[in-house]
Amino acid sequence: MGFFMKDVPALFGSMVFNDEVMRRTLPQEVYRALKKTMRHGTHLELDVARVVAGAMKDWAVEKGATHFSHWFQPMTGVTAGKHDSFICPRGEGKVIMEFSGTELIRGEPDASSFPSGGLRATFEARGYTVWDTTSYAFVKDGTLYIPTAFCSYSGEALDKKTPLLRSMEAVDRQAARILRLFGGGGAARHVVTTVGAEQEYFLIDRQVYLQRPDLMYTGRTLFGAYPPKGQEMEAHYLGSLKPRVSAYMKELEEELWKLGVYAKTKHNEAAPAQHELAPFFITTNIATDHNQLTMELMKSVAGKHGLVCLLHEKPFAGVNGSGKHINWSLATDTGVNLLEPGGTPAENAQFLLFLVAVIQAVDEYQDLLRLSAASAGNDHRLGANEAPPAIVSMFLGDELTEILEALEAGTDYQNNETHQMEIGVTVLPHFPKDTTDRNRTSPFAFTGNKFEFRMPGSAFSIAGPNIVLNTAVAESLRRFADELEAAEDFTSALAALIRKTFREHKRIIFNGNNYAAEWVTEAGRRGLSNLSATAAALPAYIAPESLALFARHQVLHETEIHSRYEILMEGYCKTIHIEALTMADLVKREILPACFGYQRELAELAERKTARGGFDASPETRWLNTISKLTAELLDKLETLEDALPRAAAETELTARAEAFRAVLGVMSKLRRIADELETRVAKQHWPLPSYAELLYSVV
């Protein structure tokens, strides 16, 4: 369905039970009660819920809904929900459409069929979904979706939303204490974290995709020789959109806008077939819901256009992988960005205090931030030319770094002039030059009035990284508030605190090239962690300081942390196990038969030439010997893989199993190198898998 640009404001949020709809459909006293719950977390009475449910049902039915679903985010990383119809029997063979307040507030899915890390046994099936009133319900595909949290019968969080909401409350509590010290923050009553999640992805033709079992089963190509042309010419980035891609993006935006998702920017990314969508900033838990919706719609809309959307972090070796850059900031409920430096950041003490709070948080909990971006898929991406390395550091830019260095030294900051950008063409307008450049190699970069966390992969839920970041910053603010509230002279104590914090944590600040080999050495000298793989990063979750941090702020209890650690470790091992089984299957059933078939063709040709006499069969013989030797090596590595795999799977201790599967990856890499070499030598009509050239350039 097309639309005119003048219709976009009317289209936006048209399938969302938002504030405008609530004002129109709810009695005034019910509307006020619901808004009070949404804003301040007060208890929602069942009588209020009944009225809201009735209005929500009537509105949803008008939008074509016949079912409702409690929509939640289990530890699988994707969303879930069962679908119940509104129908209720009334009389002989009659039904009416009903939706009760209880059905709105609470659902009861099976809690034993989702990853729980030991929190739920198979026979312990009862779980609850609870309405998240802060995130609007919406209609999609004939169903009313109600965003919910998911917990067990015994109260433990089984999802990603519950701890995210807890972490947001932790930041709110501690940031409010800081604002009171600065005079109450004006009319502000709450502090929220805000997020804009840039989403990178690949689009390939569906028919080509269906010929690649590795893509279908694992999301990435386990084999594939580099094509004659990859991204060397750098012509794809921000280039003109192909008609098929443009049509896809247009429909995707339309569907997202209907659901109130602030899709703002679309463009081609650096690699062939790679693209990006970026939204406006919004409150973190709603941004998380929106990003999950975005990923779901990216995939479903692609199918309508004969395309497949790939969200794996590294679907193709040798070209850019896909990340999910999380742009994070702090704001009051009156709209004041607490990370906005203002015109004179050197004189903005409140900004500087929040800034050093983030610096301290990232330094002290760098291992937690690293593990929040850890997965088997993302290990292939981090440290490549499109992603930051596994070493966590911060980029502040020259101006902020110099301001903090001046404060540390007790000197005045001098360089506070605004410079005009001179391009050297008189017809082009002048404009103020930014005070700092951008650093795309930095894992955690300050970009003007927010931080950009560039490490998470494209398939990630943004809940995990934000839980860690929110909780770590809340801890810094708690300690700051404790110290400043006890100070006799607030002004002098504030200046001393900013100086001390910067001095103790400036090791995490690095404004240079994070790809440089020298940085690895320098980071080691500074004492920064270098957790290069997921198997090494995940144990930080259950370190004593991590357990204490999450417990202190009531974000995750110890049992919940251990369950998540187990889920993540198991997920890492299962991912590699599936990839290894897929790789072995492809070698045995497709690649080896192709190689044998080509060798037979070469041998028969050489034999015919020799039999006829006078013909030189040495070219075929030489080529046959090369293929034969590589095929023998391939078979050897296949046997090594099939020997290593059951040993890794037999490991019972989680850390040992993860390390064993990490070793399996090494065997897989060697097997792939041989297969990719064979792909460049075996005749195209014999090779069973579409090539990288066919995959990356399949959308025309």
Side-chain angles (χ1 to χ4, degrees):
M1 173 182 286
F3 58 91
F4 297 108
M5 292 308 296
K6 65 180 180 181
D7 296 325
V8 173
L11 182 81
F12 189 85
S14 58
M15 303 301 282
V16 181
F17 193 74
N18 54 27
D19 190 70
E20 179 185 346
V21 177
M22 288 190 290
R23 281 180 182 273
R24 188 176 72 245
T25 60
L26 297 177
Q28 192 174 50
E29 65 275 10
V30 171
Y31 171 78
R32 284 199 298 264
L34 179 58
K35 292 298 287 186
K36 185 177 181 182
T37 297
M38 294 171 66
R39 289 171 178 164
H40 309 303
T42 57
H43 177 69
L44 183 69
E45 298 294 336
L46 185 56
D47 287 346
V48 173
R50 288 194 190 103
V51 177
V52 175
M56 192 180 286
K57 181 264 298 180
D58 291 342
W59 170 83
V61 169
E62 288 180 3
K63 296 293 183 181
T66 56
H67 291 68
F68 69 92
S69 176
H70 273 207
W71 186 65
F72 59 100
Q73 299 170 31
M75 295 301 296
T76 55
V78 295
T79 61
K82 61 179 180 178
H83 299 243
D84 290 299
S85 71
F86 290 123
I87 67 168
C88 184
R90 279 295 183 272
E92 193 69 30
K94 302 290 186 180
V95 297
I96 63 171
M97 306 290 266
E98 284 191 350
F99 185 45
S100 70
T102 301
E103 288 174 316
L104 170 60
I105 291 174
R106 193 192 80 173
E108 191 178 317
D110 185 341
S112 65
S113 299
F114 293 99
S116 69
L119 289 178
R120 295 270 85 190
T122 302
F123 68 91
E124 296 174 317
R126 193 181 297 277
Y128 298 111
T129 49
V130 184
W131 180 27
D132 173 15
T133 59
T134 63
S135 186
Y136 296 130
F138 56 92
V139 169
K140 181 170 75 75
D141 300 328
T143 298
L144 170 67
Y145 287 90
I146 302 148
T148 58
F150 180 40
C151 65
S152 71
Y153 179 70
S154 47
E156 295 98 347
L158 297 176
D159 66 343
K160 294 175 178 287
K161 169 164 281 198
T162 302
L164 178 63
L165 292 171
R166 293 172 183 169
S167 73
M168 292 171 66
E169 289 186 355
V171 171
D172 184 18
R173 283 193 301 271
Q174 304 306 329
R177 294 173 65 192
I178 297 294
L179 290 182
R180 284 195 293 270
L181 291 168
F182 281 95
R189 299 185 62 176
H190 292 283
V191 173
V192 297
T193 56
T194 62
V195 164
E198 303 171 26
Q199 179 72 57
E200 296 175 342
Y201 61 99
F202 280 82
L203 288 177
I204 63 172
D205 185 86
R206 178 173 173 77
Q207 293 304 314
V208 181
Y209 167 82
L210 291 174
Q211 299 173 56
R212 292 290 310 219
D214 48 356
L215 275 177
M216 294 170 62
Y217 298 149
T218 73
R220 74 180 182 101
T221 50
L222 301 176
F223 300 107
Y226 196 78
K229 178 184 177 184
Q231 62 187 70
E232 298 86 354
M233 300 304 293
E234 300 174 334
H236 188 69
Y237 186 58
L238 300 187
S240 59
L241 301 175
K242 295 176 181 177
R244 200 169 165 195
V245 173
S246 180
Y248 162 80
M249 289 181 169
K250 183 178 180 181
E251 182 172 354
L252 175 62
E253 284 179 324
E254 181 178 351
E255 294 302 316
L256 289 171
W257 289 341
K258 288 178 185 177
L259 296 174
V261 177
Y262 295 92
K264 171 67 173 176
T265 303
K266 61 182 179 184
H267 61 81
N268 289 342
E269 256 298 334
Q274 189 184 32
H275 314 280
E276 180 177 305
L277 182 149
F280 277 114
F281 289 76
I282 197 169
T283 306
T284 301
N285 72 307
I286 299 175
T288 302
D289 289 355
H290 283 184
N291 186 249
Q292 293 293 148
L293 274 174
T294 297
M295 291 191 289
E296 290 176 14
L297 283 168
M298 280 180 166
K299 292 182 177 181
S300 63
V301 172
K304 298 177 183 179
H305 293 261
L307 304 171
V308 171
C309 175
L310 302 177
L311 292 177
H312 193 284
E313 292 81 8
K314 196 76 171 180
F316 304 104
V319 300
N320 277 19
S322 295
K324 183 175 294 179
H325 305 160
I326 297 175
N327 295 277
W328 179 93
S329 193
L330 288 164
T332 69
D333 57 359
T334 57
V336 176
N337 186 344
L338 297 175
L339 291 179
E340 174 59 61
T344 53
E347 300 168 14
N348 188 342
Q350 179 175 287
F351 159 73
L352 291 174
L353 185 64
F354 278 102
L355 177 67
V356 296
V358 179
I359 293 172
Q360 176 177 282
V362 173
D363 183 31
E364 291 190 347
Y365 296 103
Q366 55 186 276
D367 289 358
L368 277 177
L369 278 172
R370 167 65 184 95
L371 78 83
S372 77
S375 74
N378 212 27
D379 281 354
H380 298 290
R381 168 181 165 266
L382 291 178
N385 64 322
E386 79 286 0
I391 302 170
V392 175
S393 66
M394 296 180 70
F395 169 82
L396 289 186
D398 294 338
E399 182 183 36
L400 288 181
T401 303
E402 290 169 7
I403 288 171
L404 290 171
E405 287 173 344
L407 285 171
E408 181 190 18
T411 59
D412 292 332
Y413 174 68
Q414 302 295 331
N415 184 23
N416 56 3
E417 297 180 7
T418 299
H419 299 280
Q420 291 294 313
M421 191 70 181
E422 298 285 351
I423 303 177
V425 181
T426 57
V427 297
L428 296 179
H430 294 179
F431 57 92
K433 182 179 180 180
D434 289 319
T435 56
T436 186
D437 203 346
R438 293 178 62 197
N439 188 331
R440 66 186 300 272
T441 72
S442 177
F444 201 88
F446 189 75
T447 57
N449 60 3
K450 63 188 185 311
F451 281 97
E452 183 181 22
F453 187 29
R454 297 176 58 90
M455 293 181 78
S458 54
F460 276 57
S461 162
I462 64 172
N466 280 288
I467 290 167
V468 170
L469 184 54
N470 292 347
T471 311
V473 172
E475 173 62 10
S476 292
L477 296 175
R478 180 192 70 83
R479 284 151 55 181
F480 287 3
D482 286 349
E483 183 172 336
L484 293 173
E485 286 169 353
E488 294 183 4
D489 183 343
F490 171 74
T491 302
S492 59
L494 174 64
L497 177 60
I498 294 172
R499 283 196 299 270
K500 179 184 73 170
T501 304
F502 176 69
R503 182 172 61 251
E504 293 177 353
H505 299 286
K506 62 183 179 181
R507 66 172 186 166
I508 200 71
I509 298 169
F510 179 63
N511 293 334
N513 180 10
N514 286 255
Y515 294 160
E518 296 79 11
W519 168 233
V520 177
T521 304
E522 171 62 16
R525 187 192 66 77
R526 295 186 187 191
L528 303 182
S529 298
N530 186 2
L531 304 173
S532 59
T534 293
L538 290 182
Y541 221 152
I542 55 174
E545 56 271 24
S546 301
L547 297 173
L549 170 72
F550 289 119
R552 184 180 300 116
H553 293 278
Q554 302 176 330
V555 172
L556 287 166
H557 307 303
E558 184 170 346
T559 53
E560 293 172 327
I561 296 173
H562 278 278
S563 74
R564 280 155 175 75
Y565 168 70
E566 184 174 322
I567 289 168
L568 291 170
M569 288 291 264
E570 287 284 359
Y572 174 77
C573 296
K574 288 176 180 177
T575 297
I576 297 173
H577 197 182
I578 292 169
E579 290 182 349
L581 290 173
T582 303
M583 177 174 267
D585 188 68
L586 280 171
V587 170
K588 288 185 292 188
R589 300 180 63 187
E590 303 225 26
I591 295 177
L592 279 174
C595 293
F596 294 150
Y598 186 46
Q599 289 176 69
R600 182 171 58 251
E601 181 179 297
L602 289 171
E604 290 173 352
L605 177 58
E607 184 179 352
R608 286 197 302 270
K609 290 177 72 174
T610 302
R612 290 183 180 183
F615 292 97
D616 180 11
S618 61
E620 291 83 2
T621 303
R622 286 171 56 194
W623 203 241
L624 175 60
N625 287 337
T626 299
I627 303 298
S628 179
K629 181 180 178 182
L630 286 170
T631 303
E633 292 176 8
L634 184 71
L635 187 56
D636 287 343
K637 288 297 183 289
L638 172 64
E639 291 170 349
T640 302
L641 177 62
E642 292 192 315
D643 182 55
L645 201 52
R647 291 204 310 269
E651 290 285 355
T652 56
E653 198 276 321
L654 273 178
T655 305
R657 190 188 310 164
E659 287 297 338
F661 273 105
R662 184 181 178 185
V664 167
L665 274 176
V667 180
M668 292 170 61
S669 178
K670 294 175 182 177
L671 180 64
R672 175 177 182 153
R673 280 198 294 272
I674 299 169
D676 290 354
E677 176 67 17
L678 279 164
E679 183 185 347
T680 66
R681 296 175 182 273
V682 173
K684 185 177 185 298
Q685 63 265 32
H686 283 273
W687 196 255
L689 304 174
S691 68
Y692 265 27
E694 293 170 286
L695 288 164
L696 291 170
Y697 297 98
S698 61
V699 181
V700 295

